[in-house]
Amino acid sequence: MASKLVTIIGITGNQGASVAEAFINEPGWKIRGISRDPSKPSSKVWSDRGVEMVGADLDDAEALKTAFKGSNAIFGVTDFWQQMKVPANIKKAQETGRVLNEVAFDGEIEQGKNIVNAAQATADTLDLLVLSVLGDSKKWSHGKITWNYHFEGKWRIVEYLQATYPELYKKTSFFQPAFFMTNLEGGMGPRKGPDGEYVMRQPIDGNKQIPMYHPRQDTGPLVKALITSSPGKNLMGFSSQISFNEIAQIWSKSIGEPVKFVPNTVEDVDKAMPGGHGRELGEMMAYINDPGYFGGEEAVKELNLITPQDLGVTGLSNVREFLKDKKVN
Ligand SMILES: NC(=O)c1ccc[n+]([C@@H]2O[C@H](COP(=O)([O-])OP(=O)(O)OC[C@H]3O[C@@H](n4cnc5c(N)ncnc54)[C@H](OP(=O)(O)O)[C@@H]3O)[C@@H](O)[C@H]2O)c1
Protein backbone atom coordinates (compact mmCIF):
# COMPACT_ATOMS: atom_id res chain seq x y z
CA MET A 1 0.00 0.00 0.00
CA ALA A 2 1.35 3.46 -0.91
CA SER A 3 2.30 5.66 2.03
CA LYS A 4 0.17 8.66 2.94
CA LEU A 5 1.86 12.06 2.96
CA VAL A 6 1.60 14.47 5.91
CA THR A 7 2.90 17.97 5.17
CA ILE A 8 3.96 20.00 8.18
CA ILE A 9 4.35 23.76 8.41
CA GLY A 10 6.63 25.01 11.19
CA ILE A 11 8.66 21.77 11.36
CA THR A 12 11.68 23.74 12.60
CA GLY A 13 9.59 25.17 15.47
CA ASN A 14 7.88 23.81 18.58
CA GLN A 15 4.55 22.56 17.33
CA GLY A 16 5.57 21.36 13.86
CA ALA A 17 8.61 19.47 15.17
CA SER A 18 6.41 17.68 17.67
CA VAL A 19 3.99 16.64 14.90
CA ALA A 20 6.92 15.34 12.83
CA GLU A 21 8.21 13.37 15.82
CA ALA A 22 4.80 11.71 16.19
CA PHE A 23 4.73 10.56 12.54
CA ILE A 24 8.41 9.80 11.89
CA ASN A 25 8.21 6.11 12.84
CA GLU A 26 4.56 5.63 11.94
CA PRO A 27 4.16 2.88 9.34
CA GLY A 28 2.21 3.98 6.26
CA TRP A 29 3.15 7.67 6.56
CA LYS A 30 5.84 9.83 5.04
CA ILE A 31 6.57 13.42 6.02
CA ARG A 32 7.17 16.61 4.08
CA GLY A 33 8.42 19.55 6.14
CA ILE A 34 8.18 23.20 5.13
CA SER A 35 10.72 25.85 6.07
CA ARG A 36 11.80 29.15 4.59
CA ASP A 37 15.29 27.66 4.63
CA PRO A 38 15.39 23.90 4.03
CA SER A 39 19.19 23.81 4.32
CA LYS A 40 19.60 25.42 7.78
CA PRO A 41 20.63 23.15 10.69
CA SER A 42 17.11 22.86 12.20
CA SER A 43 15.85 21.73 8.75
CA LYS A 44 18.78 19.39 8.22
CA VAL A 45 17.93 17.58 11.47
CA TRP A 46 14.78 16.43 9.66
CA SER A 47 16.21 15.71 6.19
CA ASP A 48 18.88 13.56 7.91
CA ARG A 49 16.01 11.54 9.41
CA GLY A 50 14.39 10.97 6.01
CA VAL A 51 11.95 13.90 5.92
CA GLU A 52 11.46 15.58 2.54
CA MET A 53 12.26 19.24 3.29
CA VAL A 54 10.71 21.84 0.98
CA GLY A 55 11.36 25.59 0.90
CA ALA A 56 8.31 27.87 1.04
CA ASP A 57 7.37 31.13 2.74
CA LEU A 58 3.85 31.52 4.14
CA ASP A 59 3.75 34.91 2.37
CA ASP A 60 4.21 33.16 -0.99
CA ALA A 61 0.81 31.71 -1.97
CA GLU A 62 2.07 29.96 -5.11
CA ALA A 63 5.09 28.35 -3.40
CA LEU A 64 2.74 26.98 -0.73
CA LYS A 65 0.49 25.41 -3.37
CA THR A 66 3.50 23.63 -4.88
CA ALA A 67 4.71 22.57 -1.42
CA PHE A 68 1.30 21.05 -0.54
CA LYS A 69 0.91 19.05 -3.80
CA GLY A 70 -0.09 15.42 -3.21
CA SER A 71 -0.63 15.83 0.57
CA ASN A 72 -3.13 13.56 2.32
CA ALA A 73 -2.87 15.52 5.56
CA ILE A 74 -1.59 19.03 6.34
CA PHE A 75 -0.67 20.61 9.67
CA GLY A 76 -0.82 24.40 9.46
CA VAL A 77 0.47 26.91 12.01
CA THR A 78 1.07 30.67 11.84
CA ASP A 79 3.46 32.69 13.98
CA PHE A 80 2.10 36.00 15.31
CA TRP A 81 5.26 36.89 17.24
CA GLN A 82 7.39 36.61 14.11
CA GLN A 83 5.10 39.23 12.53
CA MET A 84 5.90 41.64 15.37
CA LYS A 85 9.60 41.46 14.34
CA VAL A 86 9.27 41.72 10.54
CA PRO A 87 11.05 45.00 9.59
CA ALA A 88 8.46 45.73 6.85
CA ASN A 89 5.67 45.49 9.45
CA ILE A 90 7.50 47.81 11.87
CA LYS A 91 8.03 50.32 9.01
CA LYS A 92 4.38 50.01 7.93
CA ALA A 93 3.18 50.68 11.49
CA GLN A 94 5.43 53.76 11.73
CA GLU A 95 4.39 55.13 8.33
CA THR A 96 0.65 54.56 8.74
CA GLY A 97 0.45 55.42 12.44
CA ARG A 98 -1.21 52.06 13.16
CA VAL A 99 -0.16 50.02 16.18
CA LEU A 100 2.32 47.27 15.33
CA ASN A 101 0.03 44.59 16.81
CA GLU A 102 -2.67 45.45 14.25
CA VAL A 103 -0.21 45.20 11.37
CA ALA A 104 1.03 41.85 12.75
CA PHE A 105 -2.61 40.70 13.12
CA ASP A 106 -3.23 41.45 9.42
CA GLY A 107 0.00 39.65 8.48
CA GLU A 108 -0.89 36.53 10.44
CA ILE A 109 -4.38 36.42 8.87
CA GLU A 110 -2.91 36.79 5.36
CA GLN A 111 -0.53 33.88 5.99
CA GLY A 112 -3.41 31.79 7.34
CA LYS A 113 -5.46 32.54 4.22
CA ASN A 114 -2.51 31.47 2.06
CA ILE A 115 -2.40 28.14 3.94
CA VAL A 116 -6.15 27.65 3.49
CA ASN A 117 -6.08 28.59 -0.23
CA ALA A 118 -3.15 26.23 -0.86
CA ALA A 119 -4.94 23.43 1.02
CA GLN A 120 -7.99 24.01 -1.21
CA ALA A 121 -5.73 23.71 -4.28
CA THR A 122 -4.71 20.21 -3.16
CA ALA A 123 -8.29 19.14 -2.35
CA ASP A 124 -8.11 16.15 -4.74
CA THR A 125 -5.66 14.26 -2.47
CA LEU A 126 -6.34 15.93 0.89
CA ASP A 127 -8.21 13.91 3.53
CA LEU A 128 -7.59 16.14 6.54
CA LEU A 129 -6.36 19.62 7.37
CA VAL A 130 -5.43 20.47 10.96
CA LEU A 131 -4.99 24.15 11.76
CA SER A 132 -3.37 25.36 14.96
CA VAL A 133 -5.57 28.27 16.05
CA LEU A 134 -6.73 30.20 19.12
CA GLY A 135 -10.13 31.56 20.12
CA ASP A 136 -12.08 34.69 19.25
CA SER A 137 -11.21 36.58 22.42
CA LYS A 138 -13.23 39.66 21.45
CA LYS A 139 -16.38 37.56 21.04
CA TRP A 140 -16.03 35.36 24.14
CA SER A 141 -15.07 38.32 26.35
CA HIS A 142 -18.12 40.20 25.00
CA GLY A 143 -15.96 43.00 23.63
CA LYS A 144 -13.86 43.53 26.79
CA ILE A 145 -10.61 42.13 25.37
CA THR A 146 -9.54 44.09 22.30
CA TRP A 147 -5.73 43.71 22.28
CA ASN A 148 -5.36 39.91 22.24
CA TYR A 149 -4.53 40.04 18.54
CA HIS A 150 -2.59 36.76 18.50
CA PHE A 151 -5.73 34.86 19.59
CA GLU A 152 -8.29 36.77 17.56
CA GLY A 153 -6.34 36.71 14.28
CA LYS A 154 -6.09 32.94 14.33
CA TRP A 155 -9.88 32.69 14.65
CA ARG A 156 -10.33 35.04 11.68
CA ILE A 157 -8.49 32.36 9.63
CA VAL A 158 -11.10 29.80 10.73
CA GLU A 159 -13.90 32.17 9.70
CA TYR A 160 -12.27 32.71 6.30
CA LEU A 161 -12.03 28.95 5.75
CA GLN A 162 -15.63 28.33 6.79
CA ALA A 163 -17.02 31.14 4.60
CA THR A 164 -14.85 30.51 1.53
CA TYR A 165 -14.50 26.74 1.26
CA PRO A 166 -17.37 24.92 3.02
CA GLU A 167 -16.22 21.55 1.62
CA LEU A 168 -12.65 22.03 2.85
CA TYR A 169 -14.03 23.19 6.23
CA LYS A 170 -15.73 19.78 6.53
CA LYS A 171 -12.31 18.12 6.09
CA THR A 172 -10.71 20.26 8.82
CA SER A 173 -10.08 19.88 12.55
CA PHE A 174 -8.85 22.67 14.81
CA PHE A 175 -6.10 22.34 17.38
CA GLN A 176 -6.12 25.04 20.06
CA PRO A 177 -2.74 24.84 21.83
CA ALA A 178 -2.92 25.63 25.55
CA PHE A 179 -0.52 28.00 27.35
CA PHE A 180 3.02 26.68 26.73
CA MET A 181 4.41 25.44 30.09
CA THR A 182 7.83 26.35 28.67
CA ASN A 183 6.79 30.05 29.05
CA LEU A 184 7.24 29.58 32.80
CA GLU A 185 10.99 28.99 32.41
CA GLY A 186 11.68 32.30 30.69
CA GLY A 187 10.33 35.80 31.22
CA MET A 188 7.27 34.52 33.10
CA GLY A 189 9.38 32.75 35.75
CA PRO A 190 10.27 34.23 39.17
CA ARG A 191 12.40 37.39 39.25
CA LYS A 192 14.30 38.84 42.22
CA GLY A 193 12.74 42.15 43.27
CA PRO A 194 14.61 45.16 44.79
CA ASP A 195 14.00 43.70 48.29
CA GLY A 196 15.85 40.51 47.26
CA GLU A 197 12.67 38.39 47.25
CA TYR A 198 11.57 36.27 44.30
CA VAL A 199 8.29 37.39 42.82
CA MET A 200 6.04 36.53 39.86
CA ARG A 201 3.57 39.10 38.54
CA GLN A 202 0.75 38.77 36.01
CA PRO A 203 -2.66 40.46 35.62
CA ILE A 204 -4.56 37.35 36.70
CA ASP A 205 -6.17 35.99 39.87
CA GLY A 206 -3.51 33.88 41.61
CA ASN A 207 -5.97 31.01 42.06
CA LYS A 208 -7.18 30.91 38.44
CA GLN A 209 -6.54 27.49 36.88
CA ILE A 210 -4.67 27.86 33.56
CA PRO A 211 -4.69 25.03 31.00
CA MET A 212 -1.11 24.24 29.96
CA TYR A 213 0.78 21.80 27.74
CA HIS A 214 4.30 21.15 26.49
CA PRO A 215 4.41 22.28 22.83
CA ARG A 216 7.41 20.16 21.81
CA GLN A 217 6.20 16.98 23.53
CA ASP A 218 2.40 17.10 23.43
CA THR A 219 1.47 18.69 20.08
CA GLY A 220 2.48 15.54 18.18
CA PRO A 221 0.28 12.98 19.98
CA LEU A 222 -2.68 15.40 19.95
CA VAL A 223 -2.42 16.41 16.29
CA LYS A 224 -1.76 12.80 15.24
CA ALA A 225 -4.97 11.79 17.01
CA LEU A 226 -6.83 14.49 15.04
CA ILE A 227 -5.27 13.48 11.72
CA THR A 228 -6.05 9.78 12.20
CA SER A 229 -9.61 10.46 13.32
CA SER A 230 -12.61 11.91 11.46
CA PRO A 231 -12.54 15.69 10.76
CA GLY A 232 -14.78 18.36 12.30
CA LYS A 233 -13.17 18.39 15.75
CA ASN A 234 -12.15 21.42 17.80
CA LEU A 235 -9.63 20.36 20.43
CA MET A 236 -8.56 22.13 23.62
CA GLY A 237 -4.89 21.09 23.56
CA PHE A 238 -4.06 21.01 27.26
CA SER A 239 -2.40 18.39 29.41
CA SER A 240 -2.81 19.84 32.92
CA GLN A 241 -4.06 22.93 34.73
CA ILE A 242 -2.37 25.01 37.38
CA SER A 243 -2.66 28.42 39.08
CA PHE A 244 0.09 31.03 39.55
CA ASN A 245 -0.14 30.64 43.35
CA GLU A 246 0.64 26.97 42.96
CA ILE A 247 3.39 27.66 40.40
CA ALA A 248 5.03 30.04 42.93
CA GLN A 249 4.87 27.32 45.62
CA ILE A 250 6.54 24.75 43.34
CA TRP A 251 9.25 27.24 42.32
CA SER A 252 9.81 28.01 45.95
CA LYS A 253 10.44 24.33 46.74
CA SER A 254 12.71 23.93 43.69
CA ILE A 255 14.99 26.86 44.53
CA GLY A 256 14.73 26.64 48.32
CA GLU A 257 13.71 30.30 48.71
CA PRO A 258 10.31 32.00 49.09
CA VAL A 259 8.58 32.85 45.80
CA LYS A 260 5.38 34.86 45.87
CA PHE A 261 2.80 35.63 43.21
CA VAL A 262 1.56 39.23 43.19
CA PRO A 263 -1.19 40.15 40.70
CA ASN A 264 -0.58 43.33 38.70
CA THR A 265 -2.52 45.15 35.97
CA VAL A 266 -2.48 45.19 32.16
CA GLU A 267 -1.16 48.79 32.43
CA ASP A 268 1.79 47.55 34.54
CA VAL A 269 2.72 44.95 31.89
CA ASP A 270 2.31 47.55 29.12
CA LYS A 271 4.67 49.92 30.98
CA ALA A 272 7.23 47.16 31.60
CA MET A 273 7.15 46.05 27.93
CA PRO A 274 6.21 49.07 25.83
CA GLY A 275 5.58 48.98 22.08
CA GLY A 276 2.59 46.62 22.07
CA HIS A 277 4.11 43.38 23.41
CA GLY A 278 3.19 44.12 27.02
CA ARG A 279 -0.39 45.11 26.37
CA GLU A 280 -0.86 42.04 24.14
CA LEU A 281 0.41 39.68 26.86
CA GLY A 282 -1.43 41.57 29.61
CA GLU A 283 -4.79 41.38 27.80
CA MET A 284 -4.14 37.70 27.07
CA MET A 285 -3.77 37.12 30.83
CA ALA A 286 -6.91 39.14 31.51
CA TYR A 287 -8.74 36.95 28.96
CA ILE A 288 -7.40 33.75 30.57
CA ASN A 289 -8.74 35.14 33.86
CA ASP A 290 -12.19 35.82 32.43
CA PRO A 291 -13.80 34.09 30.56
CA GLY A 292 -10.90 31.58 30.37
CA TYR A 293 -8.13 30.43 28.01
CA PHE A 294 -10.51 28.59 25.64
CA GLY A 295 -13.29 31.21 25.98
CA GLY A 296 -15.18 29.80 28.95
CA GLU A 297 -18.30 27.65 29.15
CA GLU A 298 -20.07 29.58 26.41
CA ALA A 299 -17.33 28.79 23.85
CA VAL A 300 -17.03 25.17 24.97
CA LYS A 301 -20.77 24.67 24.34
CA GLU A 302 -21.14 26.66 21.13
CA LEU A 303 -18.03 25.24 19.45
CA ASN A 304 -18.38 21.76 20.92
CA LEU A 305 -14.78 21.92 22.17
CA ILE A 306 -13.34 18.54 23.10
CA THR A 307 -10.54 17.44 25.46
CA PRO A 308 -7.56 15.13 24.85
CA GLN A 309 -9.42 12.49 26.93
CA ASP A 310 -12.34 12.65 24.46
CA LEU A 311 -9.82 11.73 21.74
CA GLY A 312 -8.36 8.93 23.87
CA VAL A 313 -4.95 10.64 24.20
CA THR A 314 -3.14 9.96 27.48
CA GLY A 315 0.44 10.23 28.76
CA LEU A 316 0.82 13.97 28.13
CA SER A 317 3.18 16.25 30.09
CA ASN A 318 2.40 17.27 33.65
CA VAL A 319 3.22 20.89 34.50
CA ARG A 320 4.01 20.01 38.14
CA GLU A 321 6.59 17.44 37.00
CA PHE A 322 7.94 19.94 34.47
CA LEU A 323 8.51 22.63 37.13
CA LYS A 324 9.93 20.30 39.77
CA ASP A 325 13.66 20.86 40.44
CA LYS A 326 13.91 23.74 37.92
CA LYS A 327 16.40 26.49 38.68
CA VAL A 328 15.88 30.19 38.00
CA ASN A 329 17.89 31.30 34.92
N1 LIG B 1 3.57 30.67 23.80
C1 LIG B 1 2.36 30.17 24.04
O1 LIG B 1 1.98 29.94 25.21
C2 LIG B 1 1.44 29.86 22.88
C3 LIG B 1 0.25 29.18 23.15
C4 LIG B 1 -0.61 28.88 22.09
C5 LIG B 1 -0.28 29.28 20.80
N2 LIG B 1 0.90 29.95 20.57
C6 LIG B 1 1.18 30.36 19.17
O2 LIG B 1 2.17 29.53 18.64
C7 LIG B 1 2.66 30.16 17.43
C8 LIG B 1 4.11 29.81 17.26
O3 LIG B 1 4.20 28.40 17.15
P1 LIG B 1 5.50 27.60 17.58
O4 LIG B 1 5.90 27.99 18.97
O5 LIG B 1 5.25 26.19 17.25
O6 LIG B 1 6.55 28.19 16.55
P2 LIG B 1 8.10 28.58 16.80
O7 LIG B 1 8.76 27.50 17.57
O8 LIG B 1 8.15 29.98 17.27
O9 LIG B 1 8.63 28.53 15.30
C9 LIG B 1 8.00 29.23 14.26
C10 LIG B 1 7.84 28.29 13.08
O10 LIG B 1 7.07 28.94 12.08
C11 LIG B 1 7.76 28.91 10.86
N3 LIG B 1 7.54 30.16 10.15
C12 LIG B 1 7.50 31.42 10.70
N4 LIG B 1 7.30 32.33 9.72
C13 LIG B 1 7.21 31.63 8.56
C14 LIG B 1 7.04 32.02 7.20
N5 LIG B 1 6.91 33.31 6.84
N6 LIG B 1 7.02 31.05 6.26
C15 LIG B 1 7.17 29.74 6.59
N7 LIG B 1 7.33 29.31 7.86
C16 LIG B 1 7.37 30.25 8.82
C17 LIG B 1 9.24 28.76 11.20
O11 LIG B 1 9.87 28.09 10.13
P3 LIG B 1 11.26 28.59 9.44
O12 LIG B 1 11.86 29.62 10.36
O13 LIG B 1 12.08 27.33 9.34
O14 LIG B 1 10.85 29.12 8.11
C18 LIG B 1 9.19 27.90 12.47
O15 LIG B 1 9.18 26.54 12.16
C19 LIG B 1 2.41 31.65 17.62
O16 LIG B 1 1.53 32.13 16.64
C20 LIG B 1 1.74 31.77 19.01
O17 LIG B 1 0.73 32.74 19.04
C21 LIG B 1 1.76 30.23 21.57
Side-chain angles (χ1 to χ4, degrees):
M1 201 181 73
S3 289
K4 288 193 170 197
L5 175 66
V6 55
T7 298
I8 302 172
I9 295 176
I11 193 165
T12 59
N14 293 306
Q15 298 178 57
S18 185
V19 177
E21 204 63 69
F23 276 97
I24 195 119
N25 293 318
E26 188 66 22
W29 284 93
K30 53 190 180 163
I31 304 173
R32 182 182 291 156
I34 296 178
S35 165
R36 283 164 294 182
D37 180 358
S39 63
K40 68 179 179 180
S42 53
S43 291
K44 231 182 144 282
V45 165
W46 292 110
S47 42
D48 286 349
R49 294 177 74 188
V51 170
E52 177 197 3
M53 287 300 299
V54 170
D57 193 309
L58 296 181
D59 287 322
D60 185 342
E62 290 311 308
L64 264 189
K65 284 182 190 162
T66 307
F68 282 180
K69 250 196 182 106
S71 303
N72 304 102
I74 294 169
F75 173 70
V77 59
T78 48
D79 185 0
F80 175 84
W81 299 105
Q82 175 90 30
Q83 298 283 340
M84 293 284 284
K85 291 184 231 150
V86 172
N89 285 351
I90 296 167
K91 191 163 171 249
K92 197 172 184 180
Q94 282 163 351
E95 282 172 1
T96 58
R98 294 175 76 204
V99 293
L100 178 57
N101 305 48
E102 269 182 23
V103 177
F105 169 82
D106 289 350
E108 181 171 34
I109 296 171
E110 276 316 302
Q111 291 191 342
K113 286 182 177 177
N114 286 344
I115 294 173
V116 166
N117 293 339
Q120 172 64 22
T122 194
D124 52 338
T125 59
L126 190 71
D127 297 322
L128 221 141
L129 168 67
V130 173
L131 289 180
S132 175
V133 297
L134 289 167
D136 187 345
S137 41
K138 203 178 271 165
K139 172 173 173 170
W140 303 118
S141 69
H142 297 277
K144 281 192 216 123
I145 301 294
T146 56
W147 264 73
N148 194 17
Y149 290 102
H150 66 297
F151 273 53
E152 205 187 316
K154 290 182 180 68
W155 196 259
R156 298 285 163 262
I157 299 165
V158 177
E159 289 175 338
Y160 172 78
L161 165 60
Q162 187 170 18
T164 318
Y165 306 115
E167 288 307 311
L168 178 62
Y169 182 76
K170 286 188 207 149
K171 288 190 194 177
T172 305
S173 281
F174 300 103
F175 172 64
Q176 296 200 34
F179 189 96
F180 291 5
M181 57 181 79
T182 44
N183 294 338
L184 300 171
E185 292 176 299
M188 287 190 181
R191 289 278 165 270
K192 230 174 207 172
D195 56 0
E197 273 192 29
Y198 280 105
V199 69
M200 301 175 80
R201 292 181 203 273
Q202 293 296 337
I204 191 165
D205 181 328
N207 291 320
K208 178 76 188 182
Q209 292 291 314
I210 306 172
M212 303 214 172
Y213 94 126
H214 195 299
R216 188 62 175 77
Q217 286 166 20
D218 300 332
T219 311
L222 292 168
V223 169
K224 188 169 151 200
L226 288 174
I227 288 179
T228 53
S229 156
S230 53
K233 298 188 171 63
N234 200 328
L235 175 66
M236 296 181 281
F238 70 102
S239 61
S240 40
Q241 304 204 57
I242 195 165
S243 69
F244 265 103
N245 281 340
E246 206 185 333
I247 292 166
Q249 272 175 18
I250 299 174
W251 267 114
S252 181
K253 261 199 201 139
S254 301
I255 63 177
E257 286 193 57
V259 177
K260 60 181 179 187
F261 175 74
V262 180
N264 62 0
T265 64
V266 173
E267 290 69 33
D268 292 334
V269 192
D270 189 22
K271 252 186 237 151
M273 270 188 275
H277 284 76
R279 183 151 177 209
E280 180 87 31
L281 292 172
E283 290 222 8
M284 175 189 75
M285 281 297 176
Y287 179 66
I288 297 172
N289 196 52
D290 183 25
Y293 189 93
F294 296 112
E297 277 307 305
E298 200 183 350
V300 171
K301 267 199 203 134
E302 193 174 313
L303 300 173
N304 198 16
L305 298 181
I306 62 167
T307 65
Q309 288 71 27
D310 295 330
L311 267 183
V313 180
T314 54
L316 299 173
S317 308
N318 184 308
V319 62
R320 289 164 188 83
E321 281 299 311
F322 172 79
L323 285 175
K324 212 172 71 183
D325 303 328
K326 283 229 177 297
K327 298 287 165 246
V328 175
N329 293 326

